Amino acid sequence: MAPLLNGYTNGASRHLPEDPSIVESRFSDIPSQIDIPVSGLDAEEAVEVNLEELLDDPTELCTLLEQEGVGKHYWMVIALAYAKQAKVDHAIEILSKGMGTLNRGNPKEKLGPLSLTCWLYLWKSREAPRVIPDGQPAGETRLKDFYLQAATASLNEASRINPAFPPLFLARGVLYLLRASLQPPSKAAAPGVPDLSDRVDTLRQSIKCFEDALRVSSGRNMMAVLGRARAYFSLGKYAEALDGYQEVLNKMPHLQDPDPRIGVGCCLWQLGHKDEAREAWERALELNPDSKIANILLGLFYIHDSSHYATTDPAFGPIYKKAMTVYTQKAFKLDKELPLTCATFGSYFMMRKSWATVDNLARKAIELTDVNAVASDGWYLLARKEHYQDRPDLPKASDYYQKADLARGGGDKGYLPARFGLVQIQILQRDFDGAKFRLEKIIQQSKSIEAMMILGALYAEDVFRSQASGIKEDKFADVKKATTLLEAVRLAWKDPQKKLTPDSSVLVYLARLYETEQPDKALQCLHQVEQMTINDMPDKEPPDGMEADEAWMAKLREQLSPQLLNDIGCFQYHAERHEHAREFFQTALSACVKAGEKDEGIDTDALVTTISYNLARTYEAAGQLDEAKQVYEGLLARHDDYTDARTRLAYIELRQNPQEAGPKAMTALYETDSSNLEVRSLFGWFLSKSKRRAANIAEDQEQRHYKHTLQHHDKHDRYSLTGMGNLYLTTAREMRRDTDQDKDKRRKTYEKAVEFYDKALQLDPRNAYAAQGMAIALVEDKKDLTAAVQLFSKVRDTVKDPSVYINLGHVFAELKQYSRSIESYEAALTYNRASDPQILACLGRVWLLKGKLDKSPSAMKTSLSYSQRALAIAPSQIHFQFNIAFVQIQLAQLLYTLPEAQRTLEDVVKASSGLEEAINSFGEIAQSKNPPYPRHDIEQRANMGRNTMRRQLERAIQSQREYEEKNAAKMQEARELREAEIRRREEEKRKAEEQKEEDKRKIREERDKMAQLSRELAEKRTEEERRREEAEYTTDTDGERVKRSKKRKQGGKRKKRGEENSGSETEVGDGEDGTAAAAAGTKKSRRKKKARSTEPDSAIDSSDGDGGGPKSKKKRKRLARRGAKEGNFKSEALVVDSDSEGASHTVAAQTNGDDDGDTQMREVVDDEDEDVGVSKQQSRKRNARRIEDEEDEDDEEEEEEEEEEEEEQAKKTTAEQAAEEEDEDEGGQGGGGGASFADNPHGDPVDESVGAAGDAGGAAADPLLQI
């Protein structure tokens, strides 16, 4: 007897109902009572046992069964009845005693009970804890591994009896699946290296077992297909797993326990089709509203969907509420022990800080799950609980985070949130280097935005700590890393698909990093913070009747942070946008007042003082000195010891009254607070502007002041060191250089200046003024132009002052890099120096040098223009007039030396006119009071122009006039040729564009014609199909449309070899004798059936029979003769013809010689062979003789038949051929018994149902397969 599972033998003909509303639940086939025959009584008497009200102790029942010596069927049914009531231990006990009584008989009698015992142990393994529960002794708790070992023992004992027993293959596959769930996930291997971990090997063994189960069931065991799909899913082969689940759904569309739609959705989820996964789970829930797996998976889907929105987004609330209340809560009510539900609900209670509930749910998820991912979620919940509770236990939290990571494989395959939690623990423990290393690994693997944000913040904090401590350490690399990471985060906010919420802290970090090098970017970051804060305000929109203008924006800014507004104002001030800076400082003061009103505990005095001082400095920079004085006086009224305010008041007084009140105010300030370095610096500046130059630097009053500051107050005062360097530089520049002794003394003075500058730069490498002074000393003393360029370039990036560009222009001019020199001078003009005659004169000089070098008249004309502008601004400066005359002389000389082809008559005439002006100017300059050069030299230059150059230009004018008249015709011809060539090219271009447009038009017309032709052909095909359908169907006597039945011709030639088993055209249902019909087939019908057979040499039907392509008749017959297995009977070679998707399956009969049918294998015979009905030995002999006769036929008759057949086939329409074709085989589909065990990781949903044996066939495909 075959083993019973759910009332059916394994692989028996079990079909799900065609009505999807009729659902068979597990153990539904267990009878409500069973009659146990009693020996010694009448044959009809038996003991009736109620299987719905079973005894708590099955001992008496087992004793009865032993005494009566009943068969294994009764033991198994009663055990299943106990299992139905979840009394699995009693069921195992009953089976154990039953196998004891069966030991006396045939050992094969134990196969069924052993198989059932194995399944029950697997069931117990599903419900057993994974690890020892907290607080329970180790010896009293049986873990999953214990029951898996017991199941293995039962399976091995059954295999020793009969290793080919079909149910064992499925059980062994499930056993390997559950064993793999307890093995740790494999760590990520290197690319191209195969994964040889124990878990992967176990899963591959389970796949082999499931394939063996499919093989022995001829592909009908759908539980084996489900198990194989589950193994593929665990291996990460989601496409293969999806194929398996869809195959089950196709063949068993009403299967709900386990539901293949769950697996379909899980595979689609992993493949990235999340909406399609939701549809699959919704379909599963539609068929079974109480499906706990479908409910929790849909809950996870909506939780995932809600993660795309910020918690403040109005769309977040409804989605999250639906996830928790509609689906997750229902799943928890259906099964409070389901690990995935416990893990999901644990996250909800984590937000509510219900620590005890979180601990309970997390441990359930860890102990009861079969999926490592769900266990990882449980450990993660415990870690977060220890991390975020009032008194965090950081070592324990770190340990739980590590376990959560290892449960998912660790390393590159680990759990990202767990590794992120470890980073947070390391930061709390001040292990910044370890946190940065771990974050670098996370970013390499996942490009996590959160990881980038924290790592960027860590690098930024390192930079800020270094700046605050004054450590001389190069932090450029850290600045670059922090900036790159935080900018990547900022860029990710712009991606609409990620739906990220900007974090103002990222922008604040960026602003601090950009503050020194790129203040414009820093200001941009602060403005973005301002806009984000305003956007979050509930009342940001103006009331009705008011426009959102600057006044409304200023009112909104008053609700912002005063610190933010003050920072923005400072950046505006440094950018010299004083009006904007003033507005922000004033708004910041108003924000301070409102902040104090909202929270009286806030100390706003320091903020008001700082912002008021900044506002006064802004007034001062904008030239509003009276308003600045008023603010400073207000500050002093509140804080009379505010030295900075008193210092600025003294400076304003000096600017307004430089003769009397100003110096008195500076002296009073110095006497009041002479120890303050800021005051001493300002007083040193005052001395440099008001002192008289001393012949001896040691007697200089400013030098004494700086020396006193360095000796008695701060020897590292950078302002005093720079001031000393400036003093020595000025002194060295004015020293005589007549003798070698004077030159040596001058050189030593320059070196002294460089020493002071170098000391200042050692203390502050960013001291641009010291660097510029050193560069000037290098140029003037050692003519080290290259080093000077480097220094000036660095100073230019720091100090926004025109003097830096002027110095760069001088150096580049000395290096004969005239283009760069011109750029530097022009940059200096942009600093409100457009009317500076000195810079214009420098530009004129450089353009003159460039013109002489390049022999360019245009450059000299530009030089003349700048010189004229300088004289126009300062007409009293005689040297500017000299510059103009000098440039005119140089231009005249250049034009005289140029060949006629490189000049024009107009240029030479203008140069001659300029020469006359230069001669007159030199005469005037020579007669002036203080000429820039000796009078004799100037008069000599004027005489040269008057005597020599005038005649030269006259000759140049004459020769240039003759040259242009001579070449006028050639020039006109060349001009016309060039214009003609231009016209020709334009015409060719126009024609090419017209041809291109014409080609596009033709292509569009061709496409329109093709589209029209396609539509006409489609309409024609539709009409033909309609007519063909009308020809195929007719109306019967009842008024229903039925397919026309074809008329068969009687008589004809005898059948050829291989045709008899291809099936008769006459159906049994027609009432005709099958044998007679087979013998009465005509020659024409035989040829038609022969033509319809596509694979005559195949003995097993295949659903892929529509592949291949048409082949010749001779080739098919020849292949059939060679490939067919020879035998005594024609039924050994079956011809299968089916166009349907569910093609018939034919398998060889298998028997194991067991009398009681434990290994029953059904022999599948095609319906067509059954119709023939040849069962007697005499008819078989006649058939054999007929085959031998057919082999003797000559080839001419065969070719003649084929020609007739081809002619007849050409006349037949497709509709007539389809009407004549009939399905020759129809086979059922089924599946074997067993169970499908799975669990569901958080985010990786899988089926956690326990499956029962069963198979189905002939049902329609589920619509879900169209996903």
Side-chain angles (χ1 to χ4, degrees):
M1 179 179 177
L4 280 172
L5 191 59
N6 291 8
Y8 286 103
T9 57
N10 182 70
S13 299
R14 178 190 178 195
H15 300 277
L16 287 175
E18 295 184 359
D19 185 1
S21 62
I22 302 175
V23 180
E24 292 189 4
S25 60
R26 300 188 184 189
F27 304 104
S28 60
D29 300 315
I30 300 299
S32 60
Q33 59 187 18
I34 188 172
D35 294 335
I36 300 176
V38 179
S39 61
L41 299 178
D42 294 339
E44 296 182 355
E45 293 187 6
V47 176
E48 181 182 298
V49 177
N50 189 344
L51 297 181
E52 294 181 351
E53 298 179 359
L54 294 169
L55 299 175
D56 294 336
D57 186 1
T59 304
E60 294 183 6
L61 190 56
C62 292
T63 303
L64 174 63
L65 296 176
E66 290 174 355
Q67 290 176 353
E68 301 304 330
V70 298
K72 65 178 182 180
H73 165 74
Y74 296 96
W75 292 95
M76 295 177 66
V77 170
I78 294 174
L80 285 170
Y82 272 97
K84 181 179 180 180
Q85 299 181 8
K87 299 176 180 179
V88 184
D89 292 330
H90 291 337
I92 295 174
E93 180 184 353
I94 292 170
L95 289 173
S96 177
K97 291 182 179 180
M99 285 186 289
T101 62
L102 296 175
N103 282 335
R104 298 184 293 271
N106 189 350
K108 292 185 179 180
E109 290 285 333
K110 296 174 59 179
L111 285 174
L114 281 173
S115 176
L116 181 55
T117 303
C118 176
W119 284 110
L120 292 175
Y121 278 128
L122 294 177
W123 186 352
K124 290 288 293 183
S125 173
R126 293 294 311 281
E127 297 178 348
R130 184 189 187 96
V131 295
I132 299 175
D134 191 23
Q136 293 188 11
E140 297 181 2
T141 304
R142 292 182 176 180
L143 304 180
K144 292 181 180 293
D145 187 62
F146 171 82
Y147 291 107
L148 289 181
Q149 292 178 5
T152 304
S154 300
L155 197 59
N156 291 338
E157 184 179 352
S159 299
R160 285 192 292 269
I161 298 174
N162 183 5
F165 186 53
L168 299 183
F169 294 113
L170 185 64
R172 191 175 290 110
V174 175
L175 176 63
Y176 280 128
L177 265 182
L178 293 177
R179 187 174 294 169
S181 69
L182 298 180
Q183 294 171 339
S186 59
K187 295 186 177 180
V193 178
D195 193 345
L196 302 178
S197 63
D198 293 340
R199 180 174 180 271
V200 172
D201 184 61
T202 304
L203 290 172
R204 289 172 179 167
Q205 290 178 2
S206 72
I207 292 175
K208 182 179 181 301
C209 294
F210 290 131
E211 290 177 345
D212 290 340
L214 280 171
R215 175 178 51 80
V216 299
S217 67
S218 302
R220 293 194 303 273
N221 192 333
M222 293 297 102
M223 294 300 119
V225 179
L226 283 174
R228 183 178 62 183
R230 181 64 182 87
Y232 278 133
F233 188 92
S234 299
L235 286 172
K237 299 180 179 181
Y238 305 115
E240 291 88 339
L242 178 61
D243 292 340
Y245 286 121
Q246 288 185 330
E247 179 184 351
V248 176
L249 191 59
N250 182 27
K251 296 179 179 179
M252 302 179 69
H254 303 313
L255 180 62
Q256 297 181 21
D257 189 9
D259 195 339
R261 298 164 190 82
I262 300 294
V264 169
C266 294
C267 295
L268 289 172
W269 180 282
Q270 293 293 344
L271 292 172
H273 308 294
K274 292 182 169 53
D275 290 332
E276 288 80 358
R278 172 183 56 80
E279 293 175 4
W281 296 329
E282 287 177 347
R283 173 63 174 161
L285 195 62
E286 178 184 348
L287 296 177
N288 183 12
D290 291 333
S291 172
K292 56 187 178 182
I293 299 297
N295 274 288
I296 187 58
L297 290 179
L298 283 171
L300 289 174
F301 170 84
Y302 285 107
I303 290 176
H304 173 78
D305 192 27
S306 67
S307 66
H308 296 155
Y309 303 93
T311 54
T312 56
D313 195 315
F316 173 81
I319 298 175
Y320 187 77
K321 182 178 180 181
K322 182 177 183 180
M324 300 307 299
T325 59
V326 177
Y327 295 110
T328 306
Q329 188 175 12
K330 183 178 180 180
F332 188 72
K333 290 180 179 178
L334 290 170
D335 186 359
K336 296 183 179 180
E337 305 296 325
L338 186 64
L340 182 57
T341 308
C342 293
T344 307
F345 245 149
S347 300
Y348 170 74
F349 285 106
M350 174 69 68
M351 293 188 296
R352 301 186 62 181
K353 298 184 179 181
S354 301
W355 308 123
T357 307
V358 171
D359 187 86
N360 182 33
L361 293 174
R363 295 192 181 279
K364 280 185 178 182
I366 296 169
E367 296 166 2
L368 301 178
T369 185
D370 291 327
V371 178
N372 290 314
V374 178
S376 174
D377 288 342
W379 290 118
Y380 181 67
L381 285 174
L382 290 178
R384 290 182 64 194
K385 185 202 73 156
E386 298 295 340
H387 187 178
Y388 293 113
Q389 60 186 357
D390 296 335
R391 295 182 179 180
D393 190 342
L394 298 184
K396 188 178 289 187
S398 178
D399 180 55
Y400 288 152
Y401 279 133
Q402 290 179 354
K403 288 182 178 179
D405 185 41
L406 292 175
R408 274 186 164 92
D412 296 342
K413 295 176 62 177
Y415 192 33
L416 179 60
R419 282 183 282 168
F420 204 76
L422 280 171
V423 170
Q424 293 176 320
I425 297 297
Q426 288 177 315
I427 293 174
L428 291 175
Q429 294 175 341
R430 313 292 294 178
D431 183 11
F432 299 120
D433 293 335
K436 286 190 285 189
F437 176 77
R438 195 177 294 275
L439 286 170
E440 293 278 7
K441 298 289 289 183
I442 292 174
I443 292 171
Q444 290 176 4
Q445 298 161 12
S446 64
K447 303 297 181 183
S448 169
I449 300 300
E450 292 80 3
M452 291 182 183
M453 189 185 306
I454 292 185
L455 183 59
L458 288 176
Y459 279 121
E461 289 293 342
D462 284 347
V463 174
F464 301 151
R465 280 195 296 270
S466 177
Q467 293 174 351
S469 62
I471 300 175
K472 297 179 181 179
E473 184 179 357
D474 185 11
K475 287 291 184 179
F476 176 76
D478 290 346
V479 171
K480 185 176 181 181
K481 287 181 180 179
T483 305
T484 303
L485 290 167
L486 295 176
E487 281 292 356
V489 174
R490 188 181 178 189
L491 182 63
W493 296 343
K494 300 178 182 179
D495 189 349
Q497 295 181 351
K498 295 182 179 179
K499 298 182 180 178
L500 298 174
T501 303
D503 190 341
S504 60
S505 62
V506 174
L507 298 170
V508 173
Y509 274 120
L510 282 172
R512 293 185 64 183
L513 292 169
Y514 287 138
E515 179 179 359
T516 304
E517 300 292 340
Q518 297 172 296
D520 292 339
K521 287 188 175 182
L523 181 59
Q524 182 184 5
C525 293
L526 293 179
H527 275 308
Q528 190 173 350
V529 174
E530 173 196 8
Q531 190 60 45
M532 286 167 50
T533 310
I534 291 176
N535 291 338
D536 292 338
M537 292 180 181
D539 52 351
K540 62 181 178 181
E541 297 297 332
D544 296 339
M546 182 181 294
E547 297 181 358
D549 53 3
E550 290 296 329
W552 175 252
M553 185 59 67
K555 186 176 181 180
L556 290 178
R557 287 196 182 107
E558 293 178 357
Q559 304 179 35
L560 300 178
S561 167
Q563 294 90 336
L564 173 63
L565 296 171
N566 180 63
D567 291 342
I568 295 175
C570 290
F571 279 107
Q572 297 283 9
Y573 173 85
H574 287 294
E576 298 183 357
R577 293 187 285 267
H578 301 124
E579 185 63 25
H580 291 86
R582 179 187 60 78
E583 292 176 359
F584 275 98
F585 288 137
Q586 290 176 343
T587 307
L589 290 174
S590 301
C592 287
V593 175
K594 290 194 173 183
E597 294 174 354
K598 292 180 180 178
D599 187 359
E600 296 180 357
I602 298 177
D603 183 12
T604 58
D605 182 67
L607 276 174
V608 171
T609 301
T610 301
I611 297 170
S612 298
Y613 178 80
N614 292 338
L615 177 62
R617 289 298 305 269
T618 305
Y619 282 134
E620 190 178 342
Q624 301 175 354
L625 301 181
D626 293 336
E627 289 82 353
K629 286 179 64 176
Q630 184 178 357
V631 176
Y632 287 136
E633 290 170 355
L635 286 173
L636 289 173
R638 296 170 56 194
H639 304 281
D640 56 357
D641 58 346
Y642 197 180
T643 304
D644 290 338
R646 296 179 63 233
T647 302
R648 299 313 302 176
L649 275 175
Y651 174 74
I652 292 173
E653 191 67 32
L654 182 64
R655 288 183 60 184
Q656 291 180 333
N657 301 292
Q659 300 300 326
E660 297 181 2
K664 292 180 180 179
M666 293 298 300
T667 304
L669 173 66
Y670 183 71
E671 291 175 353
T672 303
D673 197 357
S674 60
S675 61
N676 188 289
L677 292 178
E678 294 293 333
V679 174
R680 297 190 68 86
S681 298
L682 180 63
F683 192 73
W685 172 84
F686 166 69
L687 292 175
S688 68
K689 299 297 182 182
S690 60
K691 71 177 182 178
R692 292 183 178 180
R693 297 292 179 186
N696 187 0
I697 191 174
E699 299 176 357
D700 189 272
Q701 189 177 4
E702 181 185 4
Q703 190 266 352
R704 290 180 179 179
H705 174 75
Y706 290 143
K707 186 175 181 180
H708 187 270
T709 302
L710 293 172
Q711 288 178 347
H712 300 285
H713 295 278
D714 186 3
K715 65 179 180 179
H716 298 306
D717 182 47
R718 290 166 289 181
Y719 188 88
S720 297
L721 290 170
T722 306
M724 290 288 284
N726 291 336
L727 280 173
Y728 280 98
L729 179 65
T730 305
T731 302
R733 185 181 296 163
E734 296 174 354
M735 292 178 67
R736 298 177 62 85
R737 63 195 83 175
D738 298 335
T739 63
D740 292 340
Q741 184 179 3
D742 293 339
K743 293 179 180 178
D744 184 64
K745 186 176 180 180
R746 181 173 180 267
R747 179 181 57 80
K748 290 182 179 179
T749 307
Y750 273 123
E751 291 177 354
K752 191 71 173 176
V754 170
E755 289 179 5
F756 282 107
Y757 288 138
D758 184 61
K759 182 66 174 177
L761 288 172
Q762 289 179 9
L763 295 171
D764 181 12
R766 305 183 67 85
N767 190 333
Y769 300 99
Q772 184 170 220
M774 180 178 286
I776 295 173
L778 290 173
V779 173
E780 294 181 355
D781 180 29
K782 298 182 178 181
K783 305 299 181 182
D784 191 351
L785 302 176
T786 304
V789 168
Q790 295 177 357
L791 288 172
F792 282 131
S793 298
K794 292 181 179 180
V795 173
R796 176 190 59 192
D797 298 335
T798 304
V799 177
K800 306 301 181 183
D801 190 83
S803 62
V804 182
Y805 292 95
I806 294 174
N807 290 328
L808 272 173
H810 295 339
V811 176
F812 284 133
E814 293 296 326
L815 290 171
K816 296 184 178 181
Q817 298 180 14
Y818 300 124
S819 297
R820 300 183 68 180
S821 176
I822 291 169
E823 291 177 1
S824 300
Y825 287 136
E826 289 179 346
L829 288 176
T830 61
Y831 285 85
N832 296 326
R833 303 287 290 273
S835 300
D836 191 328
Q838 296 296 337
I839 301 176
L840 293 172
C842 290
L843 278 167
R845 173 176 172 270
V846 175
W847 276 108
L848 176 63
L849 295 173
K850 181 177 175 60
K852 292 176 68 175
L853 180 66
D854 299 339
K855 294 184 178 181
S856 171
S858 63
M860 287 196 173
K861 291 177 183 178
T862 306
S863 172
L864 181 60
S865 174
Y866 278 115
S867 300
Q868 290 171 346
R869 287 173 58 186
L871 180 62
I873 295 172
S876 61
Q877 299 293 328
I878 194 67
H879 58 279
F880 290 156
Q881 186 178 359
F882 176 85
N883 290 343
I884 294 173
F886 183 78
V887 173
Q888 288 172 333
I889 290 287
Q890 295 294 322
L891 179 58
Q893 289 179 346
L894 177 63
L895 287 172
Y896 172 73
T897 59
L898 287 177
E900 290 86 351
Q902 297 181 12
R903 66 190 184 188
T904 64
L905 179 61
E906 182 182 0
D907 291 338
V908 180
V909 171
K910 287 184 177 180
S912 177
S913 175
L915 177 62
E916 296 299 329
E917 293 178 2
I919 294 172
N920 296 331
S921 296
F922 281 142
E924 295 176 3
I925 294 171
Q927 300 300 324
S928 64
K929 185 177 181 180
N930 296 312
Y933 293 100
R935 288 186 175 87
H936 178 266
D937 294 344
I938 297 174
E939 290 175 352
Q940 186 178 4
R941 187 172 291 274
N943 292 330
M944 184 186 67
R946 187 180 299 111
N947 300 326
T948 304
M949 294 187 65
R950 182 180 290 171
R951 290 193 295 268
Q952 290 176 344
L953 284 181
E954 289 175 356
R955 290 195 298 270
I957 291 171
Q958 183 64 27
S959 63
Q960 187 69 24
R961 182 179 290 109
E962 293 175 357
Y963 172 80
E964 291 186 1
E965 290 176 354
K966 180 180 179 180
N967 294 280
K970 293 182 180 179
M971 293 175 64
Q972 180 65 24
E973 183 180 356
R975 190 179 299 109
E976 292 176 355
L977 289 175
R978 186 170 124 188
E979 292 176 355
E981 179 66 19
I982 292 174
R983 287 195 298 271
R984 185 185 64 80
R985 290 180 181 178
E986 291 179 353
E987 182 65 21
E988 290 179 354
K989 182 178 179 181
R990 183 185 61 78
K991 290 182 178 179
E993 291 178 353
E994 290 179 354
Q995 183 63 34
K996 188 176 180 181
E997 291 295 327
E998 180 66 19
D999 293 341
K1000 289 182 179 180
R1001 185 187 62 79
K1002 290 180 178 180
I1003 292 173
R1004 285 196 297 269
E1005 290 179 355
E1006 289 295 330
R1007 287 177 178 172
D1008 294 341
K1009 291 179 181 179
M1010 293 172 64
Q1012 180 64 25
L1013 182 59
S1014 298
R1015 287 193 294 270
E1016 292 175 357
L1017 290 175
E1019 293 173 357
K1020 185 176 180 181
R1021 282 195 299 268
T1022 304
E1023 181 64 23
E1024 288 179 356
E1025 290 175 1
R1026 185 186 62 78
R1027 292 178 181 176
R1028 205 159 40 236
E1029 184 178 356
E1030 291 178 354
E1032 289 179 6
Y1033 286 86
T1034 185
T1035 305
D1036 60 5
T1037 56
D1038 297 333
E1040 297 181 357
R1041 291 186 59 81
V1042 296
K1043 195 172 184 180
R1044 294 179 185 272
S1045 59
K1046 67 178 182 178
K1047 297 179 180 180
R1048 297 182 176 84
K1049 295 182 179 181
Q1050 302 296 329
K1053 293 185 179 181
R1054 60 190 174 186
K1055 289 187 177 179
K1056 292 184 180 291
R1057 181 178 60 185
E1059 285 187 349
E1060 187 172 287
N1061 282 339
S1062 64
S1064 172
E1065 290 288 335
T1066 307
E1067 298 180 355
V1068 178
D1070 294 338
E1072 298 177 4
D1073 183 78
T1075 305
T1082 64
K1083 173 182 177 181
K1084 182 177 181 179
S1085 64
R1086 288 200 305 272
R1087 286 199 301 270
K1088 292 177 182 177
K1089 293 189 65 62
K1090 190 172 183 181
R1092 288 198 303 270
S1093 299
T1094 57
E1095 296 181 3
D1097 60 332
S1098 177
I1100 299 176
D1101 184 21
S1102 172
S1103 61
D1104 299 330
D1106 54 350
K1111 298 181 181 179
S1112 66
K1113 183 70 176 182
K1114 284 186 178 181
K1115 187 64 178 177
R1116 288 202 301 271
K1117 179 176 286 188
R1118 189 178 297 115
L1119 290 175
R1121 289 176 179 175
R1122 291 179 180 177
K1125 183 178 178 181
E1126 296 183 0
N1128 295 329
F1129 306 103
K1130 293 174 68 178
S1131 60
E1132 293 183 6
L1134 303 180
V1135 178
V1136 182
D1137 181 21
S1138 176
D1139 295 331
S1140 62
E1141 185 177 351
S1144 59
H1145 298 269
T1146 306
V1147 296
Q1150 300 179 7
T1151 58
N1152 58 3
D1154 190 7
D1155 294 336
D1156 57 5
D1158 282 341
T1159 58
Q1160 177 183 2
M1161 298 297 294
R1162 295 190 298 128
E1163 180 178 0
V1164 180
V1165 181
D1166 290 348
D1167 297 341
E1168 207 170 344
D1169 293 332
E1170 294 174 1
D1171 294 340
V1172 174
V1174 180
S1175 59
K1176 294 183 180 181
Q1177 185 68 24
Q1178 291 81 1
S1179 62
R1180 292 178 181 173
K1181 291 180 179 180
R1182 288 196 298 272
N1183 290 339
R1185 286 196 297 272
R1186 187 181 303 165
I1187 294 172
E1188 293 173 357
D1189 293 339
E1190 288 173 349
E1191 291 177 349
D1192 297 332
E1193 289 183 352
D1194 53 85
D1195 294 334
E1196 294 179 358
E1197 183 180 355
E1198 180 179 334
E1199 292 175 0
E1200 185 177 286
E1201 290 174 358
E1202 290 173 358
E1203 290 174 359
E1204 293 175 2
E1205 179 183 1
E1206 290 172 359
E1207 292 175 0
E1208 199 163 327
Q1209 283 293 108
K1211 296 177 181 179
K1212 291 167 61 69
T1213 63
T1214 306
E1216 291 172 341
Q1217 293 180 20
E1220 291 176 359
E1221 290 178 355
E1222 295 180 0
D1223 292 337
E1224 298 175 8
D1225 278 335
E1226 290 183 4
Q1229 302 170 356
S1236 174
F1237 293 81
D1239 206 339
N1240 194 324
H1242 186 68
D1244 300 332
V1246 294
D1247 185 7
E1248 200 182 36
S1249 306
V1250 179
D1255 60 312
D1262 193 283
L1264 185 60
L1265 290 176
Q1266 301 302 321
I1267 292 179

